[in-house]
Amino acid sequence: MIKEKIQQLSADIFNDVVANRRHLHSHPELSFHEVETSVFVANKLEELGLEYHKMADTGLVALIKGDKPSDRVVALRADMDALPILEANDVPYKSQNPGVMHACGHDAHTSSLLGTAKILTQLKSEFGGTIKLIFQPAEEKLPGGASLMIKEGVLENPKPQAVLGQHVMPLIDAGKVGFRAGKYMASTDELYVTVRGKGGHGAQPQQNVDPVIITAHILTALQTIVSRSADPKSPSVLSFGKVIANGATNVIPNEVYLEGTFRTMDEKWRSEAHIKIKKMAEGIAEAMGGSCEFNIMRGYPFLINEEVLTAATRGHAEDYLGKENVLDLDIWMAAEDFAYYSQAADSCFYRLGTRNEARGITSSVHTPTFDVEEDAFKISTGLMAYLAVKQLGN
Ligand SMILES: [Zn+2]
Ligand SMILES: [Zn+2]
């Protein structure tokens, strides 16, 4: 009964959700600068008659209370920020802010959650409990908008028993969604390293301390942290994507600069690994006559989908969409600041399919040709509304 009502309301608002998404897509703003986006969301919440309050500068929180008696609370989260990417798509809703682009689908998340809010405000007489809407800034940039919102109390007063979030996924066809119970995404730490030696003429190695050779040893040896020290049952990744040794064919530089990332899914191992990585790099540099300054910037924790909540939510998604449209996800070693909610409360982060191969919509997130199949909005709003009211016990 409530399912059919949600499906009808979801169909009614589809065009609206597309229009809101296109507006947001053409007016992207970088992390912690979601000023116009925040005003846009605030206006839409006002149109729905919802009171909101601001958090973490540009974030917004609003409550929708069902008319039936219930103390239960479910939080629904959308992120609002865009990326520093020059959009390459030639579409009517192309970014009007050159060099900034909604290339991770946060425009879709925000417009979908506004749509979900619209559905739920029209259904208040049908459910009990409170829905907390969270529109957060800065998913893409450390320390992450989620961590700031939590510090400012977004998970208190009222405290949600469950937090749900959806994220676009161009690997899954529009019309389908994906779930994974348990550990789903990785913690991420940024590594900034300077290896120092003593530069000089390339023909006189005996008078120099070559930081390039030291770096080569460090890079190779550090991989044993993953292959020999890490538990093979739990994934770890150590990658260095930037190595600058700015000498010449005949010049040994004074120093080499490196940047990398360390990802895993176990907080205890994560902290142990930091110590091992640092110690190994510094020890090798010292043994070879140089030195190494190793800085680790802690990023997001790993994301865990609470088993019971995720199983129940997956079941509700099957009710709403049909079993054939609900897929299992593999683990994914990227990071996501929804992880902070998942560490603080029972949470479920699921994927909304946005692929349409026939229309060429297949590009990965964070690329200049990323786009979403907007038909996905036929399910994104109603599904979240349904998952929320079911989770509230209706
Ligand atoms: Zn992203
Ligand atoms: Zn994202």
Side-chain angles (χ1 to χ4, degrees):
M1 184 68 169
I2 198 158
K3 181 170 89 178
E4 286 72 25
K5 283 188 183 163
I6 289 175
Q7 282 169 336
Q8 184 56 53
L9 289 167
S10 154
D12 295 346
I13 63 165
F14 173 70
N15 289 333
D16 215 37
V17 178
V18 171
N20 287 346
R21 182 260 166 167
R22 291 186 175 201
H23 173 86
L24 293 170
H25 191 87
S26 52
H27 299 89
E29 294 174 297
L30 290 174
S31 310
F32 296 113
H33 295 93
E34 306 88 345
V35 179
E36 297 298 323
T37 306
S38 182
V39 170
F40 180 83
V41 171
N43 289 339
K44 295 289 169 189
L45 293 174
E46 268 170 31
E47 279 173 25
L48 295 176
L50 294 173
E51 278 180 31
Y52 61 87
H53 66 270
K54 311 243 332 203
M55 267 189 185
D57 287 340
T58 51
L60 302 106
V61 186
L63 299 178
I64 305 174
K65 286 195 172 102
D67 293 341
K68 294 184 181 171
S70 167
D71 291 334
R72 286 188 61 80
V73 182
V74 169
L76 307 178
R77 174 271 206 172
D79 41 12
M80 303 189 292
D81 55 325
L83 287 158
I85 292 177
L86 181 65
E87 178 158 18
N89 295 316
D90 187 16
V91 287
Y93 47 89
K94 184 173 179 163
S95 168
Q96 291 173 26
N97 186 0
V100 183
M101 177 188 175
H102 269 296
C104 201
H106 299 186
D107 51 341
H109 308 160
T110 297
S111 56
S112 291
L113 188 54
L114 286 170
T116 300
K118 191 162 190 174
I119 292 170
L120 290 168
T121 51
Q122 292 174 70
L123 271 183
K124 277 199 254 184
S125 60
E126 308 273 335
F127 72 90
T130 301
I131 314 259
K132 183 178 259 191
L133 306 169
I134 301 175
F135 294 90
Q136 71 151 81
E139 190 287 319
E140 300 285 2
K141 194 167 184 182
L142 297 183
S147 73
L148 301 180
M149 299 281 282
I150 292 169
K151 265 189 202 137
E152 292 187 20
V154 77
L155 296 181
E156 304 299 328
N157 302 321
K159 192 182 184 76
Q161 285 85 49
V163 185
L164 306 180
Q166 69 180 337
H167 199 295
V168 300
M169 183 169 247
L171 296 171
I172 299 177
D173 287 335
K176 297 179 190 289
V177 293
F179 285 85
R180 183 179 184 86
K183 292 178 179 181
Y184 173 47
M185 293 177 74
S187 62
T188 176
D189 301 308
E190 296 177 1
L191 315 175
Y192 301 93
V193 190
T194 304
V195 177
R196 296 202 172 86
K198 179 174 167 287
H201 201 296
Q204 294 174 302
Q206 77 282 11
Q207 291 186 4
N208 309 318
V209 175
D210 186 347
V212 180
I213 294 297
I214 298 174
T215 299
H217 281 272
I218 289 174
L219 287 174
T220 309
L222 284 182
Q223 287 307 315
T224 65
I225 300 285
V226 173
S227 68
R228 303 290 84 183
S229 299
D231 182 342
K233 295 191 293 298
S234 176
S236 293
V237 172
L238 178 63
S239 298
F240 285 88
K242 189 183 236 184
V243 180
I244 303 173
N246 209 8
T249 55
N250 53 1
V251 177
I252 293 170
N254 277 317
E255 60 182 44
V256 177
Y257 178 72
L258 324 171
E259 286 181 8
T261 180
F262 178 67
R263 290 154 191 256
T264 187
M265 289 186 159
D266 180 311
E267 286 301 306
K268 188 167 164 278
W269 161 240
R270 180 187 186 190
S271 298
E272 284 170 19
H274 287 185
I275 295 166
K276 280 181 188 288
I277 288 169
K278 248 180 109 139
K279 205 169 159 189
M280 188 180 277
E282 286 167 359
I284 289 169
E286 204 192 315
M288 297 181 78
S291 66
C292 173
E293 189 187 320
F294 208 111
N295 293 309
I296 301 178
M297 194 197 222
R298 274 181 96 85
Y300 305 155
F302 69 91
L303 189 157
I304 183 155
N305 287 322
E306 201 277 328
E307 303 269 356
V308 176
L309 170 67
T310 303
T313 304
R314 193 189 193 287
H316 298 143
E318 287 182 354
D319 289 350
Y320 189 81
L321 298 173
K323 253 187 159 62
E324 68 283 7
N325 292 317
V326 180
L327 312 176
D328 291 318
L329 297 169
D330 205 348
I331 59 166
W332 175 233
M333 293 303 279
E336 159 67 54
D337 83 345
F338 187 85
Y340 283 109
Y341 303 107
S342 84
Q343 300 280 341
D346 287 355
S347 300
C348 175
F349 187 68
Y350 62 92
R351 292 286 178 172
L352 175 74
T354 49
R355 183 184 188 88
N356 185 337
E357 208 149 349
R359 293 187 53 223
I361 300 175
T362 57
S363 292
S364 299
V365 292
H366 293 215
T367 65
T369 52
F370 173 78
D371 201 357
V372 303
E373 168 52 62
E374 290 170 327
D375 270 359
F377 304 144
K378 287 178 177 162
I379 65 164
S380 62
T381 58
L383 175 64
M384 204 176 226
Y386 185 71
L387 297 179
V389 296
K390 293 310 274 185
Q391 192 51 44
L392 286 172
N394 296 277

